[in-house]
Amino acid sequence: MKNRQNVMIKGTKNGLSLQLNDRCSYEELLSELEEKLSDLKGLDTDSPLISVRILAGNRLLGEEQQEELKDLIRQKQNLIVEEIESNVITKEEAQAHIDEQEVTSVATIVRSGQVLEVPGDLLLVGDVNPGGTVRAGGNIFIMGALKGVAHAGYTGKSESVIVASFMTPSQLRISDCISRAPDHYDKGEHHQMECAYIDRTHQIVIDRLQVLKHLRPNITRFKGGHYYG
């Protein structure tokens, strides 16, 4: 009786898809993949590059195993691995994902020369003085005056926002976008709570806090409840 195939190769509109059996040993997988790659017809060095997507299922591939698979596929000179997809992640990746979803609350004053950095959202109860810096992987909410540097979404999250009770920063950064405070700001004037975000032209815009509920409707995890009063 023929055993179940450990490697299924399918053609897609974007290239090739390699579906790997996640119940066999890695050695069996590697052996069958090598055999099937050598049997592929119509591929030669003069053919255009073909993208390969590897579907590992519930198998967790280590870095060395991923590189071994890529090297094996590269032996077919016109094949290139674009993605390795797995249904499972490492404990470290899972913890990093949890950290990115958390809101870190800090009550302090960030003084000149100090840097406050968190992996997820930051809720700062206090001021950021000139020369001070706050950085967050997600959003930044400052219940106080922002007079220094704020960098939200430093991991590449361009949808992140910066909110402050008094928005007079020396510099704003969201993802890879950088902006200085508008010249017309009067630092002695009282301002309403404001927010900064990246608009459709990839520019940082400062606006009233009220616009956030329309621009970023998913910014809160609050899904329901009752209002009284």
Side-chain angles (χ1 to χ4, degrees):
M1 183 176 178
K2 189 175 181 180
N3 292 331
R4 175 186 174 185
Q5 293 187 36
N6 294 323
V7 180
M8 298 282 289
I9 301 179
K10 296 181 180 179
T12 70
K13 63 179 181 180
N14 297 319
L16 291 179
S17 171
L18 270 61
Q19 187 168 349
L20 310 182
N21 179 13
D22 53 21
R23 295 182 179 273
C24 68
S25 71
Y26 175 72
E27 289 71 22
E28 290 177 299
L29 193 69
L30 206 62
S31 174
E32 186 170 323
L33 177 60
E34 187 171 9
E35 181 182 338
K36 289 198 170 181
L37 286 174
S38 64
D39 289 341
L40 282 177
K41 304 298 182 183
L43 298 178
D44 54 57
T45 55
D46 296 326
S47 301
L49 284 176
I50 297 175
S51 174
V52 177
R53 185 165 170 250
I54 299 176
L55 306 177
N58 293 327
R59 181 189 299 272
L60 181 62
L61 295 168
E63 289 186 14
E64 289 185 7
Q65 292 176 330
Q66 290 187 36
E67 287 304 316
E68 192 170 15
L69 288 173
K70 289 178 181 179
D71 288 341
L72 185 59
I73 291 170
R74 286 193 198 105
Q75 291 177 16
K76 285 285 185 180
Q77 308 249 340
N78 59 326
L79 295 183
I80 181 169
V81 177
E82 291 289 346
E83 181 182 13
I84 298 179
E85 185 178 305
S86 174
N87 296 334
V88 292
I89 59 176
T90 64
K91 289 182 178 179
E92 290 78 11
E93 289 171 328
Q95 186 59 52
H97 180 71
I98 291 171
D99 291 342
E100 288 176 0
Q101 304 303 311
E102 286 189 348
V103 179
T104 301
S105 301
V106 182
T108 190
I109 295 175
V110 181
R111 305 182 189 281
S112 180
Q114 295 180 328
V115 178
L116 174 60
E117 181 177 315
V118 301
D121 290 356
L122 170 64
L123 171 59
L124 174 65
V125 182
D127 298 337
V128 181
N129 286 350
T133 301
V134 288
R135 300 180 76 240
N139 305 300
I140 294 176
F141 306 98
I142 300 173
M143 305 297 291
L146 171 56
K147 302 175 184 177
V149 177
H151 187 183
Y154 68 76
T155 56
K157 294 181 179 179
S158 59
E159 74 278 6
S160 298
V161 300
I162 299 170
V163 176
S165 300
F166 300 94
M167 184 81 79
T168 57
S170 58
Q171 185 187 87
L172 293 177
R173 298 185 66 181
I174 300 177
S175 187
D176 61 348
C177 235
I178 303 175
S179 174
R180 302 188 70 85
D183 294 333
H184 67 266
Y185 269 20
D186 179 358
K187 295 187 178 181
E189 184 183 343
H190 179 81
H191 295 283
Q192 63 178 330
M193 202 165 194
E194 292 175 310
C195 64
Y197 60 90
I198 294 179
D199 68 4
R200 293 180 180 178
T201 65
H202 204 64
Q203 300 293 319
I204 294 179
V205 174
I206 298 175
D207 208 334
R208 297 174 305 124
L209 179 63
Q210 287 81 356
V211 304
L212 270 190
K213 66 180 180 181
H214 304 294
L215 294 169
R216 303 287 189 269
N218 297 323
I219 198 169
T220 175
R221 299 182 181 90
F222 182 73
K223 298 300 182 184
H226 301 280
Y227 293 95
Y228 299 94

